[in-house]
Amino acid sequence: MRTTLILLVSLFTLPALAGDTKAKAPQAAPAAKPAEAKGPKRIEMQVTADGFAPASIPLKKGEPVKLVVTRVSDETCATDLLIEGTNIKVALPMNKAVEVDYTPKASGKVKFGCAMGMMVSGILLVE
């Protein structure tokens, strides 16, 4: 009888001492979603020996953009960036990213390029 009593006590006590193996572990709170980037759309560009890359860029009328232009070649006359129909004229030093804020005001093709009559150039395709 004593053995039966010890066995019964053991059956009820051991799980309590060992912990409930069926208990659920606390769940972590869902990860917060990263905040959407605010501000203008960034467009990376390069000036190479072959000219601007990309040479044509689709944009939307009224949507601000930040052109990030890096000149990676000395074999070009595009040491400045001009945007047709604006007063934008910025120097493009070698191997340094230059940020240019631009908001297209009208639909159509807008030429951008070098200060030498835009001989080295590209097109902003504004919808």
Side-chain angles (χ1 to χ4, degrees), residues 35-108:
E36 300 244 349
K38 297 197 181 210
K41 175 180 174 183
R42 291 178 59 90
I43 299 172
E44 302 282 334
M45 302 170 59
Q46 286 190 334
V47 180
T48 69
D50 295 326
F52 287 90
S56 68
I57 301 168
L59 300 177
K60 292 185 180 176
K61 176 182 160 186
E63 181 180 309
V65 295
K66 186 174 294 280
L67 304 173
V68 183
V69 187
T70 305
R71 181 168 62 94
V72 296
S73 176
D74 272 332
E75 297 177 26
T76 181
C77 63
T79 56
D80 294 293
L81 171 70
L82 281 72
I83 298 179
E84 182 179 63
T86 73
N87 60 355
I88 293 175
K89 179 181 180 183
V90 295
L92 300 174
M94 186 69 174
N95 295 318
K96 182 177 180 204
V98 176
E99 295 183 350
V100 179
D101 293 318
Y102 175 68
T103 302
K105 305 280 188 234
S107 299

Side-chain angles (χ1 to χ4, degrees), residues 22-31:
K22 295 181 183 177
K24 294 182 181 176
Q27 293 185 356

